[in-house]
Amino acid sequence: MTATVQLTGMNQPELASFMETLSEPAYRGRQLFAALQHRRLRSFDEITDLPKDLRARLSEVAQAATLKVESQYLSNDGTRRYLMKTHDGLPVETVFIPEERRDTICFSSQSGCPLQCTFCLTAQLGLLRSLTAGEIVEQIQIALNDAYGTGVKPPRGTNLVAMGAGEPLLNLDQLLKALRVMTDPQGLHIVPNRVTVSTAGVVPRILELATISDRPHLAISLAAPTDELRNELMPINKKWPLEELLSACKFFEKTLKPGERLTFEYVMLEGVNDSDEQARQLANLLNRHNIRSKVNLIPHNAADPLPYRPSSDAVVERFKNILESKGVHTYVRRPRGRDIFAACGQLAARQTTLNTRVVTNLVGAS
Ligand code: SAH
């Protein structure tokens, strides 16, 4: 790519300074921000309230959009998965999940992922690179424009979850920058309280996040109640084992707002981490640290190369009951978009070759 400036990750003051470098008044920056973020326009040609010669100059030095949608898939349950490419040809995936009262957009923070969780398909890509703030913002713009039309105000609230590909806390600066752009009321106007970031447990960044006043909600992926098993399933545990992780969570707890809870996610793998004994160990671990939290049980989303099967509904229910009998708030997450490889842990830039069902669900590539 030529060295043009990428504008979608910029806040209003940054766009104003950028416009000043073109000898344009600062209000042009605000106009540009409204066009890119509020009206979700993705090319300078469409920003017709800017003079034509300015648009021409802009397209020489900057870019209004860099991600390209390669393919998109529509699930039987209404979930949509977008497979996009960065300017340097790397895959980025985003999932749009409609629900009755609100929509959830699950976005990626990295292309691929450096962590090697054995139950997650994204791990097989390895880390390609971290995404820029602009690339994070664009994922949300693309999903909203596709669901409702360019610039159309979403009829329901929008939740954002950083639970797509990548480890968000290994890209914290760009992630926070993107969130600040997206929560600007004059832009996408995402409600800060509706954003959740999920981490495999990058302890120093959890501590850092705790110091940030406009931070998002936090979810921690546990997957195992003991270090022995967690070392196996999530190798990051060797660096930051459970005691250290839960101590960081305890520290983070001090920053929880009234009514807010820390979320622990627990992927349920048949015969691996779903026994009654493991439920008791998990409850004891959480109770010992006494953190204001809840547990989300996620039935494993299977994929061919992964050596696991999901726990049965009965076993998930039993596990939940044991946790609840020990006072742990527990919810079971219903998988969405499994048929199009859009569910948790299934994002690995899958094209039609690996899953023929996807072909019939293709609603249009652009
Ligand atoms: N790296 C971050 C965010 C991405 S994963 C993290 O680890 O939290 C988002 C969630 O999906 C995590 O809770 C993860 O444990 C879960 N997950 C990963 N693979 C899964 C699979 N195959 N089935 C169900 N959940 C999975």
Side-chain angles (χ1 to χ4, degrees), residues 225-237:
T226 62
D227 279 326
E228 198 188 357
L229 181 59
R230 201 166 185 268
N231 284 344
E232 224 178 86
L233 300 178
M234 301 180 67
I236 192 177
N237 193 69

Side-chain angles (χ1 to χ4, degrees), residues 118-144:
T118 57
F119 47 83
C120 180
L121 207 55
T122 312
Q124 305 200 347
L125 290 176
L127 176 65
L128 301 168
R129 73 166 164 80
S130 285
L131 299 180
T132 62
E135 287 164 338
I136 293 173
V137 173
E138 280 190 55
Q139 294 177 60
I140 283 72
Q141 295 175 330
I142 286 170
L144 288 177

Side-chain angles (χ1 to χ4, degrees), residues 169 202-212 247-249 251-252:
L169 295 196
V202 184
V203 164
R205 296 285 89 79
I206 294 173
L207 300 175
E208 184 182 336
L209 197 62
T211 65
I212 295 172
S247 303
C249 293
F251 179 78
F252 190 89

Side-chain angles (χ1 to χ4, degrees), residues 232-245:
E232 224 178 86
L233 300 178
M234 301 180 67
I236 192 177
N237 193 69
K238 293 180 197 152
K239 194 156 185 184
W240 294 294
L242 282 169
E243 279 307 308
E244 265 184 64
L245 176 58

